[in-house]
Amino acid sequence: MDTASSLPRSTRVGIVGAGPAGLLLARLLHGHGVDCVVLESRDRAYAEQRQRAGILEQSAVDALRAGGAGARLDREGIPHDGIELRFDGRSHRVDFPSLTGGSRVWVYAQTEVVKDLIALQLAEGPPLLFEAEAVSVSGTDTDRPVIAYRHGGAERTLDCDYVVGCDGFHGVTRRSVPEGVLRSYSRTYPYSWLGILADAPPVYDELIYAHSPRGFALASMRSPAVSRLYLQVPNGEDPAAWSDARIWDELDVRLASAGSRKLERGPITAKSVLPMRSQVTEPMSHGRVFLAGDAAHIVPPTGAKGLNLAAADVVVLARAFAHLERTGSTELLDAYSETCLRRVWRAEHFSYFMTTTLHTDPAQTAFESRLQLAQLHRIADSPHAAAEFAENYTGCFPGWA
């Protein structure tokens, strides 16, 4: 769509934001024969380079396959059947399949998910407009909301039957809901993550979560040749204050346990600090406007739930829109917020548990540190505690179906 005359003027579902939530929703709607248009404020290169999550639950994998975006994931994704917890000088592996009846997770970076979805969207439709900045959503209390956006140096509008905001916490869709309708619950944590990408093959087959008196550490991966690693740092930390050598040295110390190997070092290609926050917005809809993904909820990355919650939201939405097309009933759309929030709060609780159990609060007492270790020992020593942990990690939350 290169000319103004070819730009869509109306659609069944207007989607704001071409992150994984918006793109996956568009693919699922396309499969159900529901007309939609996706507006993304950034250019394609930016959208495909945003570094975010890397762990997919099986249900998210199934949703991507249903949207036609599973081919490269099936070739290049890395299935994981467990994680390792390190604490108090010991290591303990949590085996997912034996504890959950066969559940597992997949390592496949969000950047790759977005690339796959964009390629499909541009090849098969429905319309995806880059550098189309939504500036307002009006008529949220009517049966014909309108998205005003800038594209190609001009002000344009898109008339919609429904609008779905996949444009994040600060996005225009969330702000379009009348004051007093939404209620926000949030918590900001007193630490951040220093995250790095390194051209170094992972020396461990699965993710390692480490509790340490010096702070949390996580060893993850993006591929057999690229490591993704994290260190707990103070809020406001400058990544430039951390040399490559300092990062590798600190990772080795925090990840150490009896018989453990040191990481294989390589060039660090990306370095950034990620704040830690929990947030839930209720309700997740108003009139004909729906919120999905980060527009409705944010989790700290410790529990690996962000991308998976976003995928779950749009699966519920896609089914609701398909039901509307088949039957004319808005029953499932009306239940969207209630259906999703049961799962959202369960995921928020698990992410909070992971974050507060594995990190060291700057104001933490020795008593509180011992309580953290007691909880980690319980997971290692109790099959019942381990099973609950595994079920939460692999995504057994109500409201998915």
Side-chain angles (χ1 to χ4, degrees):
M1 295 185 184
D2 297 322
T3 66
S5 62
S6 65
L7 291 173
R9 297 171 183 262
S10 64
T11 187
R12 185 69 158 150
V13 182
I15 301 171
V16 184
L23 291 166
L24 179 57
L25 176 60
R27 296 304 307 158
L28 296 174
L29 291 180
H30 181 63
H32 289 302
V34 179
D35 179 49
C36 67
V37 174
V38 184
L39 304 177
E40 167 57 43
S41 62
R42 303 286 193 151
D43 62 23
R44 179 178 181 177
Y46 182 92
E48 291 183 339
Q49 292 169 8
R50 287 182 282 214
Q51 290 292 336
R52 293 292 190 274
I55 301 295
L56 299 178
E57 297 168 4
Q58 186 62 54
S59 295
V61 171
D62 293 342
L64 289 165
R65 289 171 176 161
R72 193 160 69 95
L73 187 158
D74 287 332
R75 292 196 308 270
E76 301 177 16
I78 306 171
H80 278 195
D81 288 334
I83 63 168
E84 186 175 321
L85 297 173
R86 291 189 176 178
F87 59 93
D88 205 19
R90 68 179 287 184
S91 296
H92 175 75
R93 182 176 182 271
V94 180
D95 184 85
F96 296 150
S98 66
L99 293 164
T100 63
S103 296
R104 64 191 339 191
V105 296
W106 293 68
V107 174
Y108 192 67
Q110 178 172 314
T111 50
E112 305 311 307
V113 170
V114 169
K115 288 174 187 175
D116 295 343
L117 290 169
I118 286 176
L120 280 170
Q121 194 78 356
L122 294 177
E124 303 176 7
L128 165 59
L129 304 181
F130 289 106
E131 299 179 88
E133 180 187 4
V135 294
S136 70
V137 179
S138 59
T140 58
D141 290 316
T142 72
D143 61 1
R144 199 64 177 165
V146 177
I147 305 172
Y149 68 100
R150 299 188 186 97
H151 180 70
E155 305 288 332
R156 311 186 189 280
T157 59
L158 180 67
D159 295 340
C160 310
D161 290 335
Y162 298 90
V163 173
V164 180
C166 302
D167 50 344
F169 181 80
H170 298 291
V172 67
T173 313
R174 193 173 185 277
R175 298 199 305 270
S176 74
V177 177
E179 187 175 353
V181 171
L182 302 179
R183 182 170 183 178
S184 182
Y185 303 85
S186 63
R187 171 170 181 147
T188 299
Y189 297 88
Y191 34 71
S192 299
W193 276 8
L194 172 65
I196 68 163
L197 279 173
D199 288 336
V203 298
Y204 301 104
D205 295 331
E206 296 173 334
L207 274 64
I208 299 173
Y209 289 77
H211 174 282
S212 160
R214 298 174 66 94
F216 170 77
L218 169 61
S220 182
M221 62 202 68
R222 285 294 179 265
S223 75
V226 177
S227 293
R228 181 69 161 155
L229 303 122
Y230 301 93
L231 286 168
Q232 177 187 337
V233 295
N235 285 341
E237 190 81 342
D238 182 358
W242 287 77
S243 67
D244 288 10
R246 182 187 178 193
I247 290 171
W248 289 116
D249 289 346
E250 190 66 21
L251 284 165
D252 278 335
V253 171
R254 296 192 195 183
L255 290 166
S257 67
S260 65
R261 293 171 287 167
K262 289 189 175 182
L263 299 168
E264 184 163 333
R265 302 189 177 196
I268 293 176
T269 58
K271 191 186 305 182
S272 62
V273 169
L274 306 119
M276 309 284 280
R277 186 159 68 98
S278 298
Q279 185 275 330
V280 178
T281 295
E282 294 186 355
M284 290 172 57
S285 62
H286 172 70
R288 293 197 171 201
V289 174
F290 300 85
L291 304 177
D294 286 357
H297 42 72
I298 296 169
V299 290
T302 328
K305 294 300 166 206
L307 174 55
N308 294 292
L309 278 179
D313 289 345
V314 299
V315 166
V316 173
L317 263 181
R319 289 174 179 169
F321 280 121
H323 181 73
L324 174 64
E325 292 297 303
R326 288 194 312 271
T327 68
S329 170
T330 63
E331 177 186 6
L332 297 185
L333 283 174
D334 295 341
Y336 167 71
S337 181
E338 182 182 356
T339 299
C340 289
L341 283 170
R342 287 181 293 135
R343 181 196 61 255
V344 167
W345 278 112
R346 181 69 226 121
E348 289 281 354
H349 183 269
F350 179 67
S351 298
Y352 168 84
F353 162 78
M354 288 284 284
T355 302
T356 56
T357 301
L358 290 166
H359 291 73
T360 302
D361 190 307
Q364 188 165 305
T365 65
F367 178 83
E368 291 165 326
S369 296
R370 298 301 297 175
L371 290 179
Q372 289 178 319
L373 292 173
Q375 181 60 63
L376 291 166
H377 278 285
R378 180 171 179 267
I379 294 170
D381 300 336
S382 165
H384 298 292
E388 181 181 11
F389 178 91
E391 288 178 356
N392 277 277
Y393 194 97
T394 56
C396 298
F397 301 114
W400 176 270

